[in-house]
Amino acid sequence: MNISIKRTPSLKCGVAIKLLSIIALVCTVLSRISYFFYYDSENINGKWVYELTFRFPDFLPLIFLLVSIAPFILFVIYILRFHNELKATVLIPIIFGLLPINFIFGGYGRGLLFWIIELLILGACVLAVISALKGLNKKLFVIIPMSLCLLYNVLSIISIRFFQQLDWYIEDSMYLYVFTLPLDIIGSTLFCISLLLFGVKNKIPPIIALSPEKERARVEKMNPEQALKLLKDKFDLGMITEEEYQAQRAGIISKL
């Protein structure tokens, strides 16, 4: 007697991914301390004197502050609590959608190369969102945007402009920014690595499911090898039972 067993999907989320993402979140939150302080300047006897004062961010800076931290918070919540629940995978395209904000509006460099990479990051993240909505089964849609983000961080660290900024801050006693800027880069780098590892290790189920008619039409256009792979993916993700998998597999094989 055949017993249909519903497989429970289990996305791989190792200790390294959890640890890296938590450290990334902590570094990023600490790096945003500078949003709450303002440097008042005054020219005394031909010398500029700076005074650090606390000031709660205005509305727009506060919104940007919250949005820039949101991908880090959502990812940590997702991998610690929801990564085994298929419905929660809607968080993946949201994370990819928010991620470019950190680079386009909060970037460190402003040279032509940085602008080009920022546009590439934006385009790659848009493709990642579209892919995640349909099922993030192609590792390329994770590898490309995360690799671009890592490249951006590496260039920021080694760029002359970055070190010029640090020298300028040190000269003017703006030590708060000397502390928060490296934390921001470290947080973004670790976040990209953890998300890259997570995406490479897992197949995210589709969030927008095709209608049965469109699904059948899609499968009919595939060759048997592609159809079998798609069927195996759905089975591994717990979207069909073992009985359904065996029945559909037999139907595909019978057409060979």
Side-chain angles (χ1 to χ4, degrees):
M1 178 173 61
N2 267 339
I3 299 177
S4 177
I5 301 174
K6 182 69 174 178
R7 289 167 59 90
T8 302
S10 180
L11 302 182
K12 299 174 184 177
C13 187
V15 176
I17 297 174
K18 294 179 181 178
L19 185 61
L20 287 173
S21 60
I22 292 172
I23 296 175
L25 176 60
V26 172
C27 289
T28 303
V29 170
L30 290 176
S31 72
R32 299 304 192 264
I33 292 175
S34 59
Y35 279 71
F36 296 90
F37 289 89
Y38 177 74
Y39 276 99
D40 290 317
S41 60
E42 184 179 359
N43 194 326
I44 301 177
N45 298 326
K47 183 178 180 181
W48 285 101
V49 178
Y50 294 87
E51 182 182 354
L52 187 66
T53 57
F54 176 83
R55 185 178 72 178
F56 196 79
D58 295 331
F59 178 74
L60 287 178
L62 181 61
I63 293 299
F64 171 72
L65 170 65
L66 296 176
V67 171
S68 67
I69 298 176
F72 300 79
I73 296 175
L74 291 177
F75 188 60
V76 168
I77 292 174
Y78 179 65
I79 64 170
L80 293 182
R81 176 67 179 86
F82 297 116
H83 68 274
N84 281 335
E85 298 181 18
L86 294 181
K87 292 181 180 179
T89 53
V90 70
L91 290 176
I92 296 297
I94 293 176
I95 290 170
F96 273 105
L98 293 172
L99 188 60
I101 295 175
N102 289 275
F103 296 92
I104 294 176
F105 296 106
Y108 317 111
R110 277 293 168 262
L112 178 61
L113 179 60
F114 284 96
W115 282 110
I116 292 173
I117 296 177
E118 286 169 3
L119 290 175
L120 289 175
I121 290 174
L122 177 60
C125 285
V126 168
L127 291 176
V129 171
I130 295 172
S131 179
L133 292 174
K134 297 180 179 180
L136 196 61
N137 294 329
K138 293 184 179 179
K139 311 299 184 187
L140 201 60
F141 290 109
V142 179
I143 294 173
I144 291 178
M146 292 303 97
S147 297
L148 286 171
C149 292
L150 287 171
L151 173 63
Y152 187 96
N153 283 332
V154 170
L155 290 177
S156 298
I157 293 172
I158 65 176
S159 70
I160 297 175
R161 180 170 177 78
F162 174 73
F163 286 110
Q164 285 178 340
Q165 285 179 332
L166 287 185
D167 291 340
W168 184 78
Y169 290 142
I170 292 172
E171 181 182 347
D172 292 330
S173 301
M174 296 187 175
Y175 297 110
L176 177 64
Y177 293 94
V178 177
F179 170 72
T180 57
L181 190 58
L183 279 179
D184 192 9
I185 295 177
I186 292 170
S188 297
T189 302
L190 294 182
F191 174 76
C192 292
I193 293 173
S194 60
L195 185 55
L196 176 61
L197 290 175
F198 181 82
V200 170
K201 284 174 174 279
N202 293 284
K203 292 182 177 180
I204 307 300
I207 295 165
I208 299 177
L210 295 175
S211 65
E213 295 78 14
K214 289 184 177 180
E215 181 71 20
R216 280 195 294 270
R218 178 189 177 193
V219 173
E220 286 175 0
K221 293 179 181 178
M222 297 180 177
N223 59 47
E225 291 79 10
Q226 291 174 322
L228 286 171
K229 185 180 183 303
L230 175 63
L231 184 63
K232 184 66 166 57
D233 286 344
K234 292 171 69 174
F235 177 57
D236 290 339
L237 291 168
M239 300 172 67
I240 58 175
T241 65
E242 186 173 0
E243 185 179 45
E244 291 170 331
Y245 169 72
Q246 295 296 346
Q248 293 181 38
R249 182 175 181 274
I252 294 172
I253 293 175
S254 66
K255 296 177 182 179
L256 290 174

